[in-house]
Amino acid sequence: MKKLVLLAVTALMCIPASAQDSDNDYLPDGLFTLEWKFNPFDYEDKPKNMAQFTARMFLNEKSVVRLSVGVGFKRDKDEKEQKLDTRIVDSKNYDISNSNTTTINKETTLKIGAGYEYHFANSGRLDFYAGAEAGYLGRFYSATKETQTDKTSVSTTGAAKTTVTSTYDNFEYKKSNADRNKFNENGFYGTIFTGVDFFVYRKLYIGAELGVTFNMAKKANGTYTENKGEVITTDGKQTANWSDSYASDTGVTLHLDNIAKTYSRTAGNVDENTGNTMKVYFEPAIRIGWMF
């Protein structure tokens, strides 16, 4: 990514002006362009891994209207393993356990907007502009978290026994990430920007743009389900075998005991997390486009 940014900056600054077309006219009326825009920097409010495309219509050499569509997707996977072996401390009474936790977070971004550009200065290959854009910005989250723990406890003193415990705890998140600090957002964005186009030759251009974006959105109530359980076996005899199922949108927990053959249902408070969010951030971009 750093190489792409360096290449764009070098092209803007170092290509000799002597290579310009003789007519020195790069913006005739009615030109239509398609361009790809990307943000090379990473920060908290940035729409993740967004591929953004912009169509521009030059009404004249000063006035341009544009339509932008962007889609972004990010997937993070985190795996943690914990091991325990206490045989070194006590070879007669010890525990051996292995716990694995896998967390997967997914984020999708959708951006659709329209804007206006005023091209206030043109010096042949370089074309400077400023303008504003507004539209829809949505962020969508989901996640899973799975933990599996297997533990063996051995005691050879007194009444010797071996206990094997298998425990699982699995979460599925909807409209939020696994940490529940980000929730689905549907809202409005507005950007004021300034930029420059450099025409490599008559049809191809590269450019840079810097905007200040205001984003206001409504957060959804993210929900999750949790399924957990445990099986304990002591000297080959099963002493515990139960499972719980919990849904945050209803607050209901279902408990099943497979040994006692019992089933229960309890209701608690529903976890509500909604509201509005507001963000203001800088939005730099590198662009490459083609004229038609």
Side-chain angles (χ1 to χ4, degrees), residues 179-234:
D179 292 331
R180 289 181 60 76
N181 58 6
K182 294 181 179 180
F183 300 86
N184 280 15
E185 298 177 9
N186 287 282
F188 162 87
Y189 80 91
T191 304
I192 55 174
F193 56 81
T194 186
V196 59
D197 294 332
F198 177 84
F199 290 85
V200 179
Y201 75 101
R202 193 171 180 83
K203 294 294 184 182
L204 177 67
Y205 67 91
I206 58 177
E209 187 174 288
L210 177 63
V212 179
T213 296
F214 170 83
N215 177 211
M216 178 177 287
K218 182 175 178 60
K219 294 194 304 182
N221 182 37
T223 62
Y224 67 92
T225 57
E226 179 184 12
N227 293 288
K228 62 181 180 179
E230 187 175 61
V231 177
I232 301 176
T233 304
T234 302

Side-chain angles (χ1 to χ4, degrees), residues 173-286:
Y173 300 87
K174 296 181 179 179
K175 301 180 181 180
S176 79
N177 63 352
D179 292 331
R180 289 181 60 76
N181 58 6
K182 294 181 179 180
F183 300 86
N184 280 15
E185 298 177 9
N186 287 282
F188 162 87
Y189 80 91
T191 304
I192 55 174
F193 56 81
T194 186
V196 59
D197 294 332
F198 177 84
F199 290 85
V200 179
Y201 75 101
R202 193 171 180 83
K203 294 294 184 182
L204 177 67
Y205 67 91
I206 58 177
E209 187 174 288
L210 177 63
V212 179
T213 296
F214 170 83
N215 177 211
M216 178 177 287
K218 182 175 178 60
K219 294 194 304 182
N221 182 37
T223 62
Y224 67 92
T225 57
E226 179 184 12
N227 293 288
K228 62 181 180 179
E230 187 175 61
V231 177
I232 301 176
T233 304
T234 302
D235 291 336
K237 181 180 179 180
Q238 199 171 91
T239 57
N241 184 347
W242 61 268
S243 63
D244 280 351
S245 177
Y246 171 76
S248 70
D249 58 339
T250 62
V252 172
T253 300
L254 303 177
H255 177 79
L256 175 63
D257 190 321
N258 293 300
I259 293 180
K261 305 298 182 183
T262 59
Y263 174 86
S264 63
R265 181 181 186 275
T266 58
N269 295 327
V270 176
D271 185 9
E272 291 282 355
N273 194 325
T274 59
N276 297 316
T277 180
M278 185 176 67
K279 306 181 182 84
V280 178
Y281 50 89
F282 289 100
E283 199 167 6
I286 301 297

